[in-house]
């Protein structure tokens, strides 16, 4: 690049100099615009006012509710996009998952400590549950982003799609997964966490199904019914689904503990 610029300046004369100045000015403008947009997004994330322990619980609940909604949208959309080999929709979903991951990452890095410092000494339990909720949300965002990126890259590189049997298996797993998350949504909206024991059973069912589907895919691979890229993506989806199922149940337990905390109820009552 440097050689090309030097060549242009040598033989282009004053026009090359003017062009170079305009190019530098344009790049500087673009960098400044992107930097300001990034700063604005970070400021918007920090504009949430937290003046009490009660505010911490309310804010955390809103973020958990949004995390659950995003997970439903992206996970269901990725499976549908892979089944239909819809590259455009997978690209859109990756952007959503990437933004969700970035938000969780910023919250974990920049919001946790200031929030904990606002809590009084008697609110150690609330602080503990809040940290757990932030960590579980972040870990879910990592898996969700990975699934979406892997799915998009797979279709973008025109690899062989899933077989009918694989699609049926993923529909079964995805159905149980989405049903659990819809129950999470109802729990948060109704402030009723009595169904968490039932969620334990559903999570156990998802883990059992995960093991069964892994064995089925190993058999397919041995019999050369599916290609290597296909098998890797399929197994990755199974594994990340298992991780999200485990972390989401823990997330909801942290949410239940926040809702039942003295810091929340002594004011909301």
């Amino acid at each position: 690049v440097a050689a090309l610029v030097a060549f242009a300046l040598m033989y282009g004369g004053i026009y090359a100099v003017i062009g170079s100045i305009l190019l530098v000015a344009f790049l500087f403008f673009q960098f400044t615009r992107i930097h300001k947009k990034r700063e604005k997004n970070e400021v918007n994330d920090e504009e949430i006012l937290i003046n009490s322990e009660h505010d911490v619980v309310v804010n955390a609940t809103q973020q958990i509710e949004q995390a659950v909604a995003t997970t439903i949208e992206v996970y269901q959309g990725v499976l549908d996009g892979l089944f239909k080999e819809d590259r455009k929709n997978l690209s859109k979903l990756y952007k959503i998952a990437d933004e969700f991951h970035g938000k969780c990452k910023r919250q974990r890095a920049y919001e946790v400590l200031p929030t904990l410092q606002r809590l009084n000494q008697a609110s150690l339990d609330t602080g503990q549950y809040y940290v757990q909720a932030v960590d579980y949300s972040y870990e879910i965002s990592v898996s969700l982003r990975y699934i979406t990126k892997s799915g998009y890259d797979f279709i973008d590189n025109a690899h062989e799609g899933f077989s009918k049997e694989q699609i049926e298996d993923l529909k079964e797993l995805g159905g149980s997964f989405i049903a659990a998350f819809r129950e999470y949504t109802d729990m948060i909206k109704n402030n009723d966490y009595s169904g968490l024991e039932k969620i334990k059973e559903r999570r156990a069912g998802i883990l059992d199904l995960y093991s069964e589907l892994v064995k089925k895919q190993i058999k397919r691979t041995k019999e050369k019914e599916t290609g290597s890229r296909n098998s890797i993506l399929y197994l990755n989806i199974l594994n990340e689904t298992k991780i999200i199922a485990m972390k989401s149940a823990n997330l909801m337990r942290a949410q239940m503990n926040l809702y039942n905390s003295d810091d929340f109820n002594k004011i909301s009552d």
Side-chain angles (χ1 to χ4, degrees):
V1 175
L4 290 174
V5 172
F7 181 83
L9 292 175
M10 183 180 298
Y11 293 98
I14 186 64
Y15 297 108
V17 173
I18 294 173
S20 298
I21 293 173
L22 291 175
L23 177 61
V24 170
F26 173 76
L27 293 175
F28 179 76
F29 170 77
Q30 288 290 93
F31 173 79
T32 302
R33 185 175 64 85
I34 293 172
H35 182 67
K36 286 183 176 179
K37 183 178 180 181
R38 183 179 302 166
E39 284 185 335
K40 182 179 179 181
N41 289 336
E42 291 178 358
V43 168
N44 287 339
D45 287 342
E46 296 170 357
E47 280 179 352
I48 301 172
L49 296 178
I50 298 178
N51 297 315
S52 67
E53 288 72 18
H54 180 266
D55 291 341
V56 171
V57 178
V58 171
N59 180 43
T61 300
Q62 292 172 347
Q63 292 178 339
I64 291 171
E65 187 173 14
Q66 182 58 50
V68 170
T70 300
T71 301
I72 292 174
E73 176 188 6
V74 173
Y75 186 87
Q76 184 65 70
V78 169
L79 290 187
D80 290 342
L82 285 169
F83 299 159
K84 299 174 183 177
E85 300 185 21
D86 187 343
R87 178 182 175 277
K88 183 178 180 180
N89 195 41
L90 287 170
S91 176
K92 175 185 175 182
L93 290 165
Y94 172 66
K95 292 178 181 177
I96 295 173
D98 189 49
E99 289 176 3
F100 173 53
H101 170 68
K103 182 178 181 180
C104 291
K105 186 176 182 180
R106 289 194 301 274
Q107 182 185 16
R108 197 181 191 214
Y110 302 116
E111 294 183 22
V112 170
L113 185 58
T115 298
L116 294 177
Q117 289 172 339
R118 293 188 184 100
L119 298 175
N120 60 49
Q121 289 294 329
S123 301
L124 296 181
D125 285 343
T126 297
Q128 174 189 349
Y129 302 142
Y130 169 73
V131 171
Q132 290 174 355
V134 171
D135 281 344
Y136 292 139
S137 294
Y138 171 76
E139 289 167 2
I140 289 171
S141 77
V142 172
S143 291
L144 199 63
R145 182 180 183 272
Y146 182 77
I147 289 175
T148 312
K149 181 68 163 59
S150 299
Y152 171 76
D153 288 343
F154 183 83
I155 297 301
D156 190 46
N157 290 318
H159 293 302
E160 179 184 358
F162 288 137
S163 66
K164 180 181 178 181
E165 291 76 15
Q166 286 176 313
I167 290 175
E168 291 303 316
D169 289 346
L170 287 175
K171 282 183 177 180
E172 182 180 3
L173 180 65
S176 297
F177 179 90
I178 295 300
F181 269 78
R182 294 202 187 283
E183 289 184 25
Y184 296 157
T185 300
D186 292 338
M187 288 180 187
I188 296 172
K189 288 183 176 179
N190 299 324
N191 293 323
D192 181 2
Y193 300 94
S194 59
L196 270 181
E197 291 303 317
K198 182 180 177 182
I199 290 298
K200 282 185 179 180
E201 297 176 6
R202 188 182 290 279
R203 179 178 64 176
I206 291 174
L207 296 182
D208 289 342
L209 182 57
Y210 159 80
S211 298
E212 178 186 336
L213 297 185
V214 168
K215 291 176 184 177
K216 289 175 68 174
Q217 182 57 32
I218 292 174
K219 182 179 178 181
R220 292 190 195 105
T221 302
K222 285 182 174 294
E223 296 175 356
K224 297 183 179 180
E225 294 179 9
T226 56
S228 58
R229 296 285 185 182
N230 176 299
S231 297
I232 290 172
L233 176 61
Y234 180 87
L235 291 172
N236 281 341
I237 291 175
L238 295 186
N239 187 58
E240 297 302 327
T241 300
K242 178 193 72 173
I243 292 173
I244 297 176
M246 296 173 65
K247 299 301 181 183
S248 62
N250 293 335
L251 174 64
M252 290 307 298
R253 182 161 296 280
Q255 166 58 26
M256 178 188 70
N257 290 332
L258 282 170
Y259 177 75
N260 291 331
S261 67
D262 292 338
D263 286 325
F264 181 73
N265 289 285
K266 67 185 178 184
I267 297 179
S268 61
D269 289 343

